[in-house]
Amino acid sequence: MLDVSSSGIIISVYIGCFNDDPTRMFPFPNDPSFGNHGLTESDMSLNRCFRYCASNNYVYSGVQAATHCFCGNDYPNTDKFPKRENECNDPCPGDVSNKCGGENYRQSVYRDCSILMPNFPNCVNVRCDNTTSRGCTKCTNDYLYKLDSSKQCKVATKPVLDSCLTKANGNRSYVLSNNGSPKCSAQSNMYGRFQVDNIELLNLNAYYHVSIDKTVSKPAYVKEYAFGITDVEVELKKVAVSGSTVGIGKSSVRKDHPFSTNPLADFSKTNFKIPISAHLSNNGEKICWQLKIKGGGYLQSKNVQNSSTRYIPYDKTETTRELCYIYDIKPPRHCIGMNSCTSDPLRLSSRLTRSKKIQVFFGGWSDSYPENGSPSLASGIESYELSVYEMESSSTVLMRDRTVIGKPVIVNSTETSLEFDLPDKNPMVYAILLVVKDKANNVRQARRFVLYDNSSKLHLDDHKTILVTTATKKTRFLWQVNHKQLCFSWKGRFYNDGYKRYNPLLPIKPEAYDAVKEYYEQISGSLSVNGTTNINGITGFDYSLYRNNVTKLSGRINDVTSESICLNSLKNDGDTFILNLQARDIMNNTLNDSAMVYIDRSVPEIQDVGITDRHQHKKLYVHYSKDLSTMSIQFRAYDIHSGLKEIKWAFGIHENKTILIEKALGVTNLDMGNCSMESKCYCPKIGKCALTTYIADLKKLKTYNRHIGDHNRRYFFTLKVTNKAELIAVDHLDILIDDSPPAVGVVLEGPIGSPDIDYTHSDEVTIHWHDFIDHESGIKLYKVALGRECYSQIKDFLTRKHDGVNIYETNHDSIKIKFQNGEGQYFVSIIAYNNAMTPSIVVCSDGITFDKTVPIIGNVSVKHSNIKETIACDSGTPWLITDILSKVKLQGDECRQICMNTTTDSILTILPKDIRSRANSETVSTFLCTKLDRYNQNTIFTPSDLFEISWNIQEDLSQIGNSYIGFGSDTNQLDHPALLNYINVPHPTQYIQHHPGLIGEQNIYIFIKVHNRAGLDTKVWFGPVIADETPPVCPSTVHAFLDNDTYVVIHWTRSNLFDTEQIDEIGKIMFRFGTRNTFVTPFLAWNIKSHGGQCGSDYQCIKYPAHKLQKHDTFPNSLFYAQLHVYNYAGHYCTTESLKVQLPSLIPQRTGIVMDVLPNTNPPYFDTDIIFDTKYCFVLIGFDHHEDVHLQAGLGTSQNLDNVVPFHDITKNEDMFICERIENAERIEIYFVTIKSSWSGGYTYTSSDGFRVLNKTLVMSSFFVNHGDSCDDAAKKGSHYIQMTMNTSVNFLRETLYPSSVYSLYSNLKIQLVNSDLFVKGSQKSSKYFILKFVPLKAMKKLYIVLSNDIINATESLEITVYKCDTDQTVQSQKTLIQINWSLDRQYLKFVSHYLTAVCKVHMINVNIT
């Protein structure tokens, strides 16, 4: 503390050392005249800076960099200017015993309390503005400071404008700012469409009341004072739409005295008119007036030495209120016109109704405002008015009746819908007229129309019908005989009985003067002003066209008035079309009618016209007898679409066209609803079922004696058939008389033009014959039989007594017949018939043998060939294909599972069975099936260009003709080998030949073909084969490593060991291990079948137990390697060696020690359990081994765990002292350092005993060291427990508190003492208590307590205890013993081992003011 006393007392308190910056903590003096560096003096001292700041009315002084002084009135903002204690070290040039800040903006700050003497204890809480007074009186309600007579007083209170009801007059019209309350807060802007002549203040009231704290005595230098309204004036202006203003005058209602000596606490004025000369031209312009009410007063100052007085006016405060008259000449508008909505300005719940109830909706309206102006320039909607009118009908239009029905309904602007009843009269169109008015009396109209109709109906005119105009007239318009459009017409068929006298669908006459237009008029939808298209009250026709009872077309007829339609639809003869027509009026009343039409554009069918002979042969045109009366002519006649109407026929002589007889046949309809005789009757699509077969009997010729005809003479038969669509079909038949049989010829097997054949392998045989002839009528047909013998007798031939013989008819001279009874010898028998169906004798062939068995090739073998062993399937049965290309049947479910749902591998049909039977047990089969791959045309390898091929042939019936061999590059060359085409081999089952040209070919296929004497051959393929004369490719070395110290692994990929001709992986390796040029194992076998896949899918490997080699590890650092002989499937091999590996040591590492130590420590090291930083250190002791040891460190929350810092390599140093950091450490959590040490024989984990990380800032903030007494129960002066919700006085002291003693108040909540007669020495915060130290200025037994401002809602009770003790003394009288006490948060006590204390001496700074 700095205490300076003289005739002018300045008491300054040291605040602290702060870090200033270029923006400056204190504002004075910071102007260019001082270089923005404050007051700078070369002999600066604390006293000089204090006096400079006090003389300029500043409370706070700051010195920095020894020579600079700054001043201010606000306590430093520590967030922006943090404290930097012990850094203000620059001596003051004018007084080196004191410090004047420091470099780098370090500033020493002091506070001057001399202006508040003698109330020194309040210096902390009171700040005085703009005064040199030694005391100041505060009006607590209004923050008014009454100073000496040389200073004006300031009042913060503003006058209150209570009421300001205003009226705008002009052109015999007026508007009020409010139609109710005169309160100023209730007034609003006014709107109108007239020019304003004057503004009238109807009711103006204001007051200005200043409250003075009467508990504070009036100073002696104040004689009297008064406050009130001093001035009232009105300022006028004209405001454009853009917001620009032009002043148009002022008017004073009350004017003040120069010294405000006549203030009125309450002011009122009524009916005060202010003329307006401005003219408003554009919508949205306004006249505004601002009421200015000023409040002030005076203070009469008295000189206490000579009693002279003077008036001092207060600075005036001002309250304003602005009102405007806004010129609004635009009517309201709807949002649909602004493209901001899609709703109608006036919408009815229904424009067409059968109910009297109707709802009207009129939302979306707003008042218009200027394009570039604000919405506030519009007066707003005031009301909606709705009226209902009848619409009268003339011959051409509807027009609104002038008499409103009932009374108009008026609602306010908040309503947007209304419901009411229509009159009873119907059918009738009613007009709903909406008038929208804004507050400036601008209006806009909209109207809608509603048809009320619950009585009219639709009818059919019985004198009119729906006519199919495209049907033929002679069918009474029932049948249409073309596939063109279907056209219908219904002129006058439908009408509405209620719309004959009053037609509500006529156009509507516009409102007078076009008062309603655009979207405010009903220009679209039902009942639009343009009228509704109709015919006899009908507004629409819907149609559905059914084709055979299925809807094909439907829709709505666009041209209602045409009353017709033509439709395009797919048409077939026999179709039935029905047009369903529905008439619809505007009220959606409907009435249906329909019309039907049939389609047939095809004439009737006439078929199978011919003579029926004595054996019931039909469709003949040659008669066997000259007696014409024995002739019957049969035919089929029908029409599947419309049915038959009539049949007529005639018979006569062909040469002279003489008609011998003509008759008509009746159409035979069936009474039954369907036809069960498939070939004798039919059912047309339209009409009844009828017979199809008719007979024209010529027996009547015998009656006319015209029945005897001539041999080889021609006659005619003419037939005419008419259907129900009146379409006619005509047919004609010429008839010949012939009564002699045909002559016979020769029968041969084989195609026409080829010699007779005796053998065939085809399922059918071609038979041909020649020299059969009939001179009169020609050959009509042949009957042919193929059997095991010749059927020479016609009786046997025709009665078919021989089993398995079919008889075929043909009119050609050849035929193909299938063999019916399998392989063997067959004979052909033939009979010829002329056109009179007279047969010849039977003729037979010499016979033919049918043989279709092909040779079978099997047991194919290529000497010295090899293949990768695989599993193949034959119809679900699994087989092993051995490496020497034989097959062995496999047992067990594991194998059968492989061949489920798979195709047969064709190679199995030609391979020989393996007589070794290696897989004759289920166990062996299961092993093979789990190890071997599925066969997929795997490559066969042969070691040279000599191909020794053998096979077997099986042929049961035919003799073997020739055998052939060929070579190709693909199986699709089976018919035409590309490398070597088929050549005939001398021996039918063997082939031996060198083919050097095939060496190196990639996909060689061997093709074998065998041909028998019946013309059948069979072919098989064998492959793919590669003739490989080269060994595999081996690198110089292959990879080797030690796996978990257990196995020595020789490791390779397909790209390391491979054969250029072999697609599959290397399948066989012989290997042995050695060290120091000596092999320690014999050759061992590895094959892919037994060992493949043990190192994963990407690699192959040999795994050999390391312990079998360790017994040979007799020298230090011995290295082992493997020699490999790598074989391909052709039997050739290459040689390579593996990389060398070192076997793991069998000697374990000794156990080390890990110690947690503090940073920056030296040996000898001591283990620590606590650190205060994220940096932790540890020492390693005893981690030794004869090999190099790999060390890794990790950090975890338990031993041997690295869940905080993962294991990572550490760098060894001489002391093995290592430090690292931990991020985001959890305070008080225990962490363990774990060392993972690895060598060739394994690894070990070693952990420390753990340490905790504490926050040093938190620990030190809970550690308090004080110079003074400890507060114990002996010093307790009282305690209290209370629910603290407001300021209170507490009387809990057990004894009186006396001045000059220091007391300590302990509280669980932060509080303040507001007693005026005590001095608060200081406060501090422990982890549990808020401690307040104070000194009574007089004896007291009560304490006045308030909660601190930063406590908003106290949810816990207040606990307070007062002790007579001073734990933090500034001065003590004892000279030999210094009392020190300290406290630490209990959560940290368990970590304390001991305390160290020290005492230092500081010097007080004394500055004398002269």
Side-chain angles (χ1 to χ4, degrees), residues 958-1122:
S958 300
Q959 296 180 349
I960 297 300
N962 296 295
S963 293
Y964 304 87
I965 199 79
F967 292 88
S969 59
D970 197 278
T971 57
N972 59 19
Q973 299 173 5
L974 182 63
D975 293 329
H976 304 286
L979 298 177
L980 179 63
N981 207 351
Y982 284 115
I983 58 173
N984 196 346
V985 297
H987 194 284
T989 61
Q990 189 177 28
Y991 176 77
I992 302 175
Q993 184 66 47
H994 281 278
H995 287 283
L998 298 180
I999 294 296
E1001 289 287 344
Q1002 283 302 314
N1003 290 314
I1004 302 173
Y1005 289 87
I1006 301 171
F1007 301 117
I1008 303 172
K1009 180 172 71 171
V1010 177
H1011 195 282
N1012 68 7
R1013 304 300 290 272
L1016 296 172
D1017 62 51
T1018 184
K1019 307 181 191 74
V1020 297
W1021 58 267
F1022 182 84
V1025 177
I1026 291 180
D1028 185 4
E1029 293 184 329
T1030 60
V1033 177
C1034 286
S1036 58
T1037 59
V1038 293
H1039 186 57
F1041 63 90
L1042 197 62
D1043 183 14
N1044 291 327
D1045 298 338
T1046 305
Y1047 291 97
V1048 176
V1049 179
I1050 312 301
H1051 191 269
W1052 69 89
T1053 66
R1054 295 187 65 171
S1055 62
N1056 298 135
L1057 301 181
F1058 63 93
D1059 188 274
T1060 55
E1061 291 81 17
Q1062 182 176 310
I1063 297 177
D1064 293 315
E1065 292 186 71
I1066 294 298
K1068 178 182 177 182
I1069 295 176
M1070 302 296 293
F1071 69 94
R1072 58 183 177 175
F1073 281 96
T1075 179
R1076 296 181 178 271
N1077 300 319
T1078 301
F1079 291 103
V1080 297
T1081 68
F1083 270 111
L1084 305 170
W1086 177 93
N1087 63 74
I1088 197 169
K1089 175 175 67 178
S1090 301
H1091 305 95
Q1094 64 180 343
C1095 287
S1097 59
D1098 298 329
Y1099 302 92
Q1100 295 292 358
C1101 68
I1102 297 170
K1103 298 180 72 172
Y1104 192 78
H1107 69 85
K1108 291 185 178 182
L1109 297 178
Q1110 282 179 323
K1111 64 183 180 180
H1112 302 289
D1113 189 7
T1114 58
F1115 294 93
N1117 300 320
S1118 295
L1119 300 176
F1120 288 80
Y1121 65 95

Side-chain angles (χ1 to χ4, degrees), residues 1232-1246:
F1232 298 87
V1233 176
T1234 298
I1235 301 299
K1236 180 181 180 182
S1237 57
S1238 306
W1239 75 102
S1240 64
Y1243 58 86
T1244 61
Y1245 291 104
T1246 307

Side-chain angles (χ1 to χ4, degrees), residues 1115-1129:
F1115 294 93
N1117 300 320
S1118 295
L1119 300 176
F1120 288 80
Y1121 65 95
Q1123 184 187 68
L1124 285 72
H1125 288 179
V1126 182
Y1127 290 82
N1128 63 15
Y1129 284 114

Side-chain angles (χ1 to χ4, degrees), residues 347-366:
R347 181 173 64 85
L348 309 181
S349 56
S350 176
R351 295 185 183 182
L352 309 168
T353 179
R354 302 177 190 276
S355 170
K356 294 174 63 176
K357 292 285 185 186
I358 188 76
Q359 273 191 307
V360 182
F361 303 91
F362 39 88
W365 287 86
S366 63

Side-chain angles (χ1 to χ4, degrees), residues 691-711:
L691 294 178
T692 59
T693 304
Y694 296 87
I695 298 176
D697 195 345
L698 302 185
K699 292 179 181 179
K700 206 68 173 176
L701 287 174
K702 201 168 189 178
T703 303
Y704 299 148
N705 199 23
R706 300 174 184 172
H707 62 290
I708 300 301
D710 298 321
H711 174 71

Side-chain angles (χ1 to χ4, degrees), residues 102 109 132 204 299 352 376 379 669 714 716 772 810 852 864 904 952 1029 1087 1126 1150 1211 1231 1255 1300 1364:
V109 178
T132 58
L204 178 62
L299 178 149
L352 309 168
S376 63
S379 60
N669 293 321
R714 292 188 178 277
F716 73 85
F772 287 81
T810 180
K852 62 181 298 182
H864 301 304
T904 297
N952 292 338
E1029 293 184 329
N1087 63 74
V1126 182
R1150 52 181 293 205
T1211 303
Y1231 296 96
N1255 188 318
S1300 75
K1364 182 181 179 182

Side-chain angles (χ1 to χ4, degrees), residues 556-806:
R556 182 161 291 180
I557 297 172
N558 295 325
D559 186 2
V560 177
T561 59
S562 69
E563 295 184 279
S564 63
I565 190 173
C566 289
L567 299 172
N568 287 311
S569 176
L570 177 66
K571 302 175 185 66
N572 290 322
D573 289 349
D575 285 348
T576 300
F577 284 91
I578 299 174
L579 178 72
N580 281 347
L581 191 65
Q582 184 181 75
R584 184 184 64 258
D585 65 14
I586 196 169
M587 295 303 297
N588 215 28
N589 296 310
T590 59
L591 186 61
N592 298 334
D593 199 5
S594 63
M596 180 183 297
V597 64
Y598 307 114
I599 307 298
D600 191 2
R601 69 173 181 179
S602 57
V603 299
E605 293 284 343
I606 302 174
Q607 296 177 352
D608 303 335
V609 181
I611 302 169
T612 302
D613 70 357
R614 60 191 181 280
H615 299 298
Q616 296 301 311
H617 293 108
K618 302 174 182 178
K619 298 190 290 183
L620 302 177
Y621 62 91
V622 179
H623 190 49
Y624 66 91
S625 173
K626 291 184 285 186
D627 186 354
L628 302 180
S629 66
T630 61
M631 190 188 310
S632 293
I633 301 171
Q634 183 174 307
F635 60 90
R636 296 178 69 238
Y638 58 91
D639 191 299
I640 62 173
H641 308 124
S642 59
L644 300 181
K645 180 181 179 184
E646 62 180 6
I647 303 172
K648 294 181 180 181
W649 62 270
F651 180 81
I653 301 171
H654 183 271
E655 289 89 343
N656 55 20
K657 307 302 181 186
T658 302
I659 296 176
L660 299 178
I661 187 172
E662 61 180 347
K663 295 184 70 176
L665 295 175
V667 177
T668 306
N669 293 321
L670 301 178
D671 293 334
M672 63 188 74
N674 53 44
C675 176
S676 59
M677 301 173 290
E678 294 181 0
S679 61
K680 296 183 180 180
C681 61
Y682 75 101
C683 295
K685 290 186 177 180
I686 301 164
K688 293 183 177 182
C689 298
L691 294 178
T692 59
T693 304
Y694 296 87
I695 298 176
D697 195 345
L698 302 185
K699 292 179 181 179
K700 206 68 173 176
L701 287 174
K702 201 168 189 178
T703 303
Y704 299 148
N705 199 23
R706 300 174 184 172
H707 62 290
I708 300 301
D710 298 321
H711 174 71
N712 205 26
R713 190 173 188 176
R714 292 188 178 277
Y715 296 84
F716 73 85
F717 177 81
T718 301
L719 186 62
K720 180 181 178 182
V721 180
T722 305
N723 66 11
K724 292 179 181 178
E726 298 294 339
L727 299 173
I728 299 173
V730 178
D731 203 358
H732 185 82
L733 178 67
D734 288 337
I735 300 172
L736 176 68
I737 304 299
D738 180 10
D739 55 0
S740 61
V744 297
V746 179
V747 181
L748 303 170
E749 288 93 354
I752 297 175
S754 69
D756 184 65
I757 62 174
D758 296 325
Y759 301 94
T760 183
H761 62 273
S762 176
D763 289 340
E764 59 184 12
V765 61
T766 300
I767 305 165
H768 72 278
W769 51 91
H770 56 80
D771 295 338
F772 287 81
I773 192 171
D774 187 280
H775 296 287
E776 290 80 17
S777 61
I779 302 299
K780 177 177 178 63
L781 60 86
Y782 300 93
K783 291 188 177 181
V784 185
L786 179 66
R788 294 293 188 178
E789 58 182 294
C790 174
Y791 310 119
S792 58
Q793 300 298 318
I794 294 179
K795 182 178 180 181
D796 292 341
F797 186 99
L798 296 177
T799 55
R800 303 175 186 177
K801 292 183 179 180
H802 303 280
D803 295 337
V805 177
N806 291 332

Side-chain angles (χ1 to χ4, degrees), residues 11 142 189 273 515 775 782 797 903 1001 1003 1165 1178 1226 1307:
I11 299 179
D142 300 287
N189 291 336
K273 289 185 177 182
H775 296 287
Y782 300 93
F797 186 99
T903 58
E1001 289 287 344
N1003 290 314
Y1165 298 112
F1178 52 92
E1226 294 292 335
S1307 169

